Amino acid sequence: EAQVTQNPRYLITVTGKKLTVTCSQNMNHEYMSWYRQDPGLGLRQIYYSMNVEVTDKGDVPEGYKVSRKEKRNFPLILESPSPNQTSLYFCASSFLRTSADWSEQFFGPGTRLTVL
Amino acid sequence: DQQVKQNSPSLSVQEGRISILNCDYTNSMFDYFLWYKKYPAEGPTFLISISSIKDKNEDGRFTVFLNKSAKHLSLHIVPSQPGDSAVYFCAGHVPGGYGGSQGNLIFGKGTKLSVKP
C-alpha cells in the first residue's frame, strides 16, 4: 500500500531533550516536506527536500533540522525542543513536478508532540 | 503577513445544496493553487488544483474558480454530502529555484465545513 508513515504518532517530552520524528514513504517520491499545524494558524511548512541531500527552509524553520540521506526517509530533528514547538506535525511527499501538471502531495497521519 | 487567507472559519450547509469555500491571496508569485481536505486525526488529502493561468478546474462534484484580478479563488462542492464535512485548506505554491519544480506551499488557516443531513 502506497503511504507516508510517521513515528511516533504521539510524543510527550521535556524542554531541551533532543528528539527525532521519522518520516518514510514507499512511493519513490523525490519531494518531501514537513509541516506543523497549530490552532488558528493552519498548516505551515517547516522544511522541504527536492531530492537526496537537497533541502531548503520553509516558512518556520527555526528550531528544526532535517536530513535527506535516503530518498525514502526525511527525519525531522528537534535538537533542543521548547514548549512553543508543541504542535501537530505532518510529513508529506510527492513526485517532483517537471511539467505543467500539479503533482499531488500525500500526507502522513501526523505526529502530536507535546513539549513540557 | 498572511499570504493566503480563508476568512470564514466555518460554514454550515444543508445536504444536497452547494458549498462555496473562499480563499484570498496576496502573493502574485503563486503559480498553482490547491485545495486539501482534512478529517480529524488524519493527514490532509489533496482535493483539486488549479494553475494560475486558468480560471476554472472541475473534478466531479468539485470545481475551483480563480479570479486573478481579484486575487480570489473559491471551491464549489455540488451537491454537498455529509461525508464532505471536514476542514478545507486552500494553499498557494511558490515555485522553487529549479524552474517548475516544487517549492514552498503556503496554506490558509482552513474552513470547517459541516454538511447537515
Side-chain angles (χ1 to χ4, degrees):
Chain A
E1 181 192 352
Q3 59 183 351
V4 179
T5 56
Q6 296 178 225
N7 282 294
R9 293 291 311 278
Y10 302 92
L11 179 61
I12 300 175
T13 188
V14 295
T15 299
K17 187 176 180 183
K18 180 180 178 180
L19 66 93
T20 299
V21 183
T22 65
C23 172
S24 184
Q25 50 91 8
N26 61 2
M27 294 170 277
N28 202 33
H29 287 161
E30 299 92 358
Y31 182 89
M32 297 186 75
S33 180
W34 276 103
Y35 299 87
R36 60 178 287 176
Q37 183 186 9
D38 301 290
L41 293 176
L43 283 158
R44 293 179 294 168
Q45 192 170 41
I46 304 170
Y47 268 96
Y48 63 94
S49 168
M50 286 192 280
N51 217 322
V52 175
E53 303 292 3
V54 180
T55 63
D56 208 348
K57 296 177 181 178
D59 294 321
V60 287
E62 295 78 19
Y64 304 94
K65 283 174 59 176
V66 292
S67 70
R68 188 88 183 272
K69 292 185 169 57
E70 304 165 284
K71 198 173 187 178
R72 64 183 292 127
N73 296 322
F74 190 45
L76 180 69
I77 303 154
L78 285 73
E79 294 270 4
S80 183
S82 62
N84 65 12
Q85 292 178 297
T86 292
S87 187
L88 180 58
Y89 291 86
F90 291 101
C91 179
S93 73
S94 72
F95 288 114
L96 198 62
R97 182 168 63 93
T98 55
S99 69
D101 295 326
W102 179 254
S103 181
E104 175 184 348
Q105 279 199 33
F106 294 85
F107 281 77
T111 295
R112 185 165 291 282
L113 172 66
T114 302
V115 183
L116 302 173
Chain B
D1 175 34
Q2 214 180 326
Q3 299 182 52
V4 178
K5 298 179 187 178
Q6 293 178 258
N7 292 320
S8 298
S10 63
L11 175 67
S12 184
V13 170
Q14 206 66 33
E15 181 180 4
R17 302 285 188 125
I18 183 172
S19 295
I20 301 177
L21 297 103
N22 293 305
C23 180
D24 296 298
Y25 64 95
T26 58
N27 191 337
S28 300
M29 298 301 293
F30 290 143
D31 66 343
Y32 264 88
F33 300 91
L34 310 315
W35 285 93
Y36 283 84
K37 179 168 73 172
K38 186 181 179 306
Y39 294 117
E42 293 183 14
T45 54
F46 172 76
L47 202 54
I48 192 169
S49 68
I50 187 167
S51 165
S52 61
I53 62 173
K54 296 188 176 178
D55 54 19
K56 179 182 174 181
N57 190 24
E58 201 169 346
D59 184 2
R61 295 186 298 115
F62 303 92
T63 304
V64 57
F65 295 93
L66 175 62
N67 182 335
K68 280 192 76 172
S69 60
K71 291 197 169 115
H72 176 84
L73 62 154
S74 60
L75 174 68
H76 293 215
I77 307 174
V78 183
S80 302
Q81 299 172 354
D84 296 329
S85 297
V87 176
Y88 288 78
F89 290 99
C90 168
H93 175 257
V94 181
Y98 298 92
S101 57
Q102 234 95 338
N104 191 9
L105 268 186
I106 299 177
F107 284 81
K109 294 182 180 181
T111 296
K112 184 176 182 180
L113 173 65
S114 300
V115 179
K116 301 192 184 311

